[in-house]
Each structure stands twice: as structure tokens, then as C-alpha cells.
Amino acid sequence: MNRTAAISVAALTLVALSGCSLLRGSDGALPVPSDPATASATATPTPSATADGTSDAERLAASATPRVPTPAPTEAAAPDPELTPIPAGTVLTEADVASPKGSIHFHLRVVADGDDTFTAQYTGFTSTLPVPVGVGFFEKSRQVGDALTYHGVGDHVLGGPTSGPQSVDVPLDGSGVDPSGLTELVVASAAAQGQDVPVEIALDKVLAVSTVRWSVPARQTNVHPVDGGVRANASGPVTATTASGAPKAYTVRSGDLIADVALRFGITLKDLVWLNQGLQVFGDDQELYQDTSLNLDPLGR
């Protein structure tokens, strides 16, 4: 390195160490070295406030961690599903029942309890048969002389031969919130197993059948499923509809998730569980059992 170059390097090094610039002012003088701390502070622009009073720094922080928007209604915020109850004491059906040969007589009346349950009232029961007799409600027709393998909804043994009219109230367990699907009351023998009696009054033989004509008042509900169409994780078919065309039953397909099924029908997860009392839920994404049927009708609970 020649002498001139060495002098230039030394000058640059001195300037760098002293914080001075090589540029001279208009008077030809070198500027006074600045305080590094002062230079650093003035290098950062002063935050300015926006029209809403938020500083640039605050806006920058907000953009780095954006605020969560106001959420849509959640399960907790959604109203509880409900079905208006039938007023207590409302008579839903009433009839006189008798066996074909007149051996059995009684009066039937079913009343609402006011909490979506019902009571069957049997009054004036008389029987001249040598065996006890029982009653039960059925959806499908039975004939006198049939042998029962199922005793029906609200089955109850009224008693054996009577010395005078008897009465009893029986909870209509198993009817759901709308008993009108139970179209027949069946009276059958409740003889002991192996009891030596004529075959026509042997155990479980149908002794009388009475058609039940219901008068159930209209109910109001805030659950109104509407089929939004097949979608991921809710691709099963609607297998039944109500008289108005609303979806009534849905069959689960492989891969269906409970939250997606509820979303397909425009209802909450809480609504779907309310419609299916035996459904167990352990999270919104719970898988359902393939080929099982889900109820979508508030009156079918």
C-alpha cells in the first residue's frame, strides 16, 4: 500500500471512531460530532395518534394480536329447546271397553299430567273370568285370540274375578310426549304360567280389543329442523317426514359427526340431544353409530 492510500484509510478509521461525517458545512468546517444516544433516539419516529385516539404503536400491537370478533351465538347462549305441555287434567281419550262375550267391562280415560306425562284411568272394572286380566296400549292392531309376546305401553294387571267394580290409575309410561300413535287398547289374560284353564283364556291370549280415538291439542315448540342437504360428516338420508313435510327421522352414515348433523338440520347440539333422550354426548365432534336412527320430531320424543 502506498503512502497516500495509507493516509486515506487512517482518516476514514478516525472519522468512523469519532462519529463524524466527512461532509463539510457551507463554511468548510467539519460538523461537531453528535451524541450517539441522541442520534439513536431521534432515529425512531414519534408515535402519532389516530382519529380514534389509538397510537401507531397500539395499532401495531393490535395487528400482531388481532382482537377476536364478537362470536356467533354459542350452545350456551342458545335458548333451551321446549315443547309446550298439555294442561294437567286435559282428557285425551275416553271410552267404554267390553270383551265380546261380556265377561269384562270397564271405562277408560287418559288424562294429561301437565308435564308431558299421562295417566290411564280405569274405572268400574268388573270381570267374571277365573283368571286375572291385563291391559296395554299398542301401535299395531291385535285380534281377539292372538297370543301376545309383548304386553304394550303402560301394561298393567287390572285383577281377577271381581265382587264389585274396581278402579285404578296407571302411569302411561313409554308413550312419549304424544300418545296418539297408540291406536288400540288390548285386554289379555294374565293367567299363571301353566295354569289349567281353557286355551282361549290361557296366559297372554287377547280377550278384547278397543280402538283408541285421541284428541290431543296442538303443541308449540321452538325446535324446527329443516334439512339443509347432504354435507361432510352428515351425509345420511332422511327416512321419514311429518305431515307438513319437515324431517322426522335421520339414519346415521359412517363418518357422521353429531355437531355436523345438528348443523345440517339448522338446530343446536342441545336441540338434537333433547330430541333423542338416550343420546350420549361427550363433545361436539362425537361420532355416531352407523345405521342408527335419530329422531327429529319434537312430538316423537
Side-chain angles (χ1 to χ4, degrees):
M1 178 182 297
N2 59 34
R3 182 179 179 188
T4 302
I7 293 172
S8 297
V9 170
L12 288 173
T13 302
L14 179 61
V15 169
L17 291 175
S18 64
C20 296
S21 170
L22 289 176
L23 297 177
R24 296 178 178 271
S26 57
D27 58 358
L30 289 173
V32 178
S34 60
D35 182 358
T38 303
S40 175
T42 57
T44 303
T46 302
S48 61
T50 60
D52 63 359
T54 304
S55 69
D56 289 340
E58 289 171 329
R59 289 166 63 85
L60 179 63
S63 68
T65 56
R67 291 170 295 175
V68 178
T70 302
T74 62
E75 288 286 331
D80 288 335
E82 61 180 18
L83 180 69
T84 56
I86 300 172
T90 302
V91 178
L92 305 181
T93 188
E94 195 162 9
D96 289 317
V97 181
S99 60
K101 295 183 179 180
S103 303
I104 303 167
H105 291 88
F106 60 86
H107 184 76
L108 164 70
R109 187 169 76 155
V110 176
V111 299
D113 300 327
D115 59 355
D116 284 338
T117 63
F118 311 95
T119 297
Q121 300 174 337
Y122 302 98
T123 58
F125 169 72
T126 61
S127 174
T128 59
L129 295 179
V131 297
V133 298
V135 289
F137 289 85
F138 288 77
E139 293 181 340
K140 298 180 179 179
S141 64
R142 299 293 191 275
Q143 302 292 327
V144 173
D146 287 350
L148 298 179
T149 56
Y150 162 64
H151 294 152
V153 172
D155 62 302
H156 182 79
V157 175
L158 295 179
T162 59
S163 56
Q166 300 176 6
S167 300
V168 64
D169 290 352
V170 180
L172 200 54
D173 295 336
S175 68
V177 298
D178 182 2
S180 60
L182 303 171
T183 57
E184 288 191 344
L185 178 72
V186 172
V187 183
S189 169
Q193 183 72 42
Q195 184 176 350
D196 185 16
V197 293
V199 65
E200 62 267 20
I201 61 171
L203 176 64
D204 292 333
K205 281 287 187 176
V206 175
L207 307 174
V209 177
S210 179
T211 299
V212 182
R213 294 177 174 84
W214 297 93
S215 179
V216 179
R219 317 286 293 277
Q220 300 298 318
T221 181
N222 60 354
V223 179
H224 303 283
V226 176
D227 189 3
V230 172
R231 65 183 63 202
N233 306 124
S235 60
V238 172
T239 53
T241 56
T242 64
S244 63
K248 185 176 182 178
Y250 171 82
T251 298
V252 175
R253 277 203 176 152
S254 176
D256 277 4
L257 299 177
I258 190 168
D260 292 284
V261 172
L263 185 63
R264 169 174 169 174
F265 293 101
I267 58 178
T268 66
L269 186 60
K270 187 174 5 179
D271 293 338
L272 189 58
V273 174
W274 177 77
L275 289 166
N276 297 270
Q277 298 293 305
L279 195 61
Q280 297 294 318
V281 179
F282 302 100
D284 289 0
D285 291 334
Q286 181 195 16
E287 293 189 16
L288 300 166
Y289 291 104
Q290 183 178 352
D291 297 329
T292 57
S293 180
L294 295 179
N295 171 57
L296 297 173
D297 181 12
L299 292 179
R301 292 171 52 236

